[in-house]
Amino acid sequence: MRIVVLGAGGLGSLIGGYLARSGVDVTLIGRAPHVEAIRERGLEITGIRGSSVIFDNLTAVTSPDDARGEFDYLMLTVKSKDTDTALGQAEALRTRSATVFSLQNGVDHDEKLARWAGADKVIGASTIEGGTLGAPGAVVNTLSTPTTAYFGELDGRITERVRRITEAFNHAGLPSRAVENVVQVEWEKLIQIALASGFSVTALAAIPEMRIGDGLVVREGAEFYVQLAKELLSVYRAMGYRPQNFYAPASRLKELDELPFADAVEAAMEQGRRFKADAGRGRTSMHNDILQRRKTEVDFIFKPILERGHALKIAIPTVEAVHRIIKTLDSNL
Ligand SMILES: NC(=O)c1ccc[n+]([C@@H]2O[C@H](COP(=O)([O-])OP(=O)(O)OC[C@H]3O[C@@H](n4cnc5c(N)ncnc54)[C@H](OP(=O)(O)O)[C@@H]3O)[C@@H](O)[C@H]2O)c1
């Protein structure tokens, strides 16, 4: 199997690296310092799944024009704000990639990929696996859940190409599932990311040392978190979905949905105490983007939910306020 990764940063390098280690022929397309470091010293992966340096089966290039041959899959992992530019520069890969999928946060990438490559080439995919580019050539695996990724056809079928990529992830030590409801998985992940990012940035980012656990152990912080969760989930429910906790135990949307407000606040405070005991957990990438003065994915994460909420005439004032606050910060970056 041959896979090309368009946008080899934290997530793309991590997944691409694990796949290469398991025998998949992987081409990473990334920025020059990262590509040069991989060519010189290999790709170093550290973090929760242990340490390894990967040389074999791994090619790193800075331009899609330098990615040679035919690919079974193209995996898109640039930040959502860079999707149009990256696809625009990847004309050389459009006809040489049999199947394309995105692991980005957001829900509009399948449509963008369909416009770029043709709808028949796109499959749905989702992951919450955490990867951060610590230094050129070095990626840290920061978060994992029992199911790493989900794949499926956008019309609900499970086809051979869906099974093959799922098996490749499983073989690489990334437990994954082929599912008939991948669009629901993508939306539920969006709700989960909007909750964690919205809370993290608006409640915590003013004090750089604060992490999610520090906010959730404060009653008012937990109340804000639950209010935001319930509004986000009201949109998700109105779309006809019920929370499934696809990324349990990181996801506790089911409990936040089912428990009455006061009980959900107690549960969120308990979760905060657990997060504080587990010092590794606690900041979203949007929060890190703000702290590092980088543009965020705010529109890609909040706009689809706001648009659905408004179309379905659901009152979501807390979601609107969170979006406005983050937009204000983001516009000054
Ligand atoms: N990281 C995670 O843990 C994680 C987990 C689940 C989902 N996601 C989602 O996955 C996506 C990627 O996240 P990430 O954290 O991996 O971001 P990232 O570390 O910024 O990686 C993206 C990489 O692509 C590079 N890039 C941008 N445009 C490019 C182009 N035209 N050609 C080649 N390379 C290009 C970026 O370089 P520059 O920085 O120089 O632009 C960066 O190195 C986001 O949508 C994120 O929300 C991330």
Side-chain angles (χ1 to χ4, degrees):
M1 179 184 290
R2 296 197 76 222
I3 297 188
V4 59
V5 179
L6 183 53
L11 183 65
S13 304
L14 183 75
I15 302 279
Y18 284 138
L19 287 168
R21 196 177 63 179
S22 74
V24 176
D25 182 324
V26 174
T27 299
L28 300 178
I29 305 174
R31 300 301 194 196
H34 187 46
V35 166
E36 281 157 23
I38 293 171
R39 285 177 179 172
E40 272 173 33
R41 302 187 294 277
L43 174 70
E44 180 190 86
I45 300 183
T46 54
I48 50 180
R49 294 178 196 269
S51 302
S52 43
V53 177
I54 298 140
F55 271 108
D56 294 344
N57 310 317
L58 197 59
T59 306
V61 297
T62 54
S63 161
D65 296 336
D66 297 330
R68 302 275 171 232
E70 305 279 320
F71 294 96
D72 298 295
Y73 298 90
L74 177 144
M75 184 169 100
L76 180 64
T77 51
V78 293
K79 292 262 191 188
S80 302
K81 64 186 171 56
D82 297 321
T83 298
D84 293 337
T85 311
L87 292 180
Q89 292 167 349
E91 181 58 24
L93 287 174
R94 204 171 53 80
T95 51
R96 287 190 284 117
S97 306
T99 298
V100 302
F101 65 89
S102 158
L103 290 178
Q104 298 162 293
N105 288 333
V107 284
D108 71 345
H109 38 67
D110 294 334
E111 220 175 282
K112 283 190 174 176
L113 280 173
R115 279 200 297 274
W116 179 70
D120 57 324
K121 285 198 173 182
V122 184
I123 60 170
S126 171
T127 186
I128 208 165
E129 187 79 9
T132 305
L133 201 56
V139 65
V140 187
N141 193 178
T142 52
L143 171 73
S144 187
T145 47
T147 305
T148 299
Y150 293 84
F151 297 96
E153 296 288 342
L154 297 171
D155 64 7
R157 285 173 307 139
I158 296 176
T159 53
E160 186 53 27
R161 61 184 182 175
V162 166
R163 278 193 204 96
R164 276 188 75 210
I165 189 68
T166 308
E167 278 164 21
F169 269 56
N170 280 320
H171 185 59
L174 305 167
S176 298
R177 291 175 54 199
V179 292
E180 293 172 349
N181 57 348
V182 76
V183 175
Q184 179 181 0
V185 178
E186 290 180 7
W187 268 96
E188 187 166 316
K189 191 187 82 168
L190 186 72
I191 297 294
Q192 187 179 347
I193 296 292
L195 173 61
S197 304
F199 174 74
S200 184
V201 172
T202 59
L204 316 176
I207 302 178
E209 299 77 32
M210 280 186 82
R211 290 169 177 269
I212 288 182
D214 300 315
L216 286 182
V217 295
V218 179
R219 181 163 298 278
E220 288 78 2
E223 287 170 350
F224 168 52
Y225 181 81
V226 172
Q227 179 63 32
L228 181 59
K230 292 214 173 267
E231 288 185 20
L232 290 165
L233 285 162
S234 68
V235 177
Y236 186 63
R237 275 181 155 270
M239 291 172 67
Y241 297 132
R242 295 290 174 268
Q244 304 293 319
N245 287 358
F246 292 110
Y247 292 108
S251 166
R252 293 176 54 88
L253 293 175
K254 229 170 147 174
E255 294 78 358
L256 286 162
D257 185 52
E258 285 164 6
L259 289 172
F261 189 87
D263 294 345
V265 169
E266 294 303 330
M269 291 180 76
E270 178 53 33
Q271 193 182 7
R273 285 189 280 275
R274 277 200 306 274
F275 280 178
K276 272 177 79 77
D278 171 10
R281 297 277 291 280
R283 219 174 249 166
T284 62
S285 66
M286 189 185 288
H287 187 160
N288 280 329
D289 285 342
I290 295 272
L291 293 179
Q292 289 164 22
R293 305 286 183 266
R294 290 192 306 237
K295 279 277 181 207
T296 69
E297 294 186 303
V298 57
D299 282 339
F300 298 93
I301 290 176
F302 284 95
K303 274 211 173 144
I305 301 168
L306 289 168
E307 281 168 11
R308 289 295 176 122
H310 294 155
L312 293 163
K313 301 200 182 334
I314 297 167
I316 42 173
T318 312
V319 182
E320 285 168 350
V322 162
H323 175 247
R324 287 173 180 141
I325 293 167
I326 302 177
K327 269 304 269 193
T328 308
L329 293 167
D330 186 83
S331 301
N332 280 276
L333 295 171

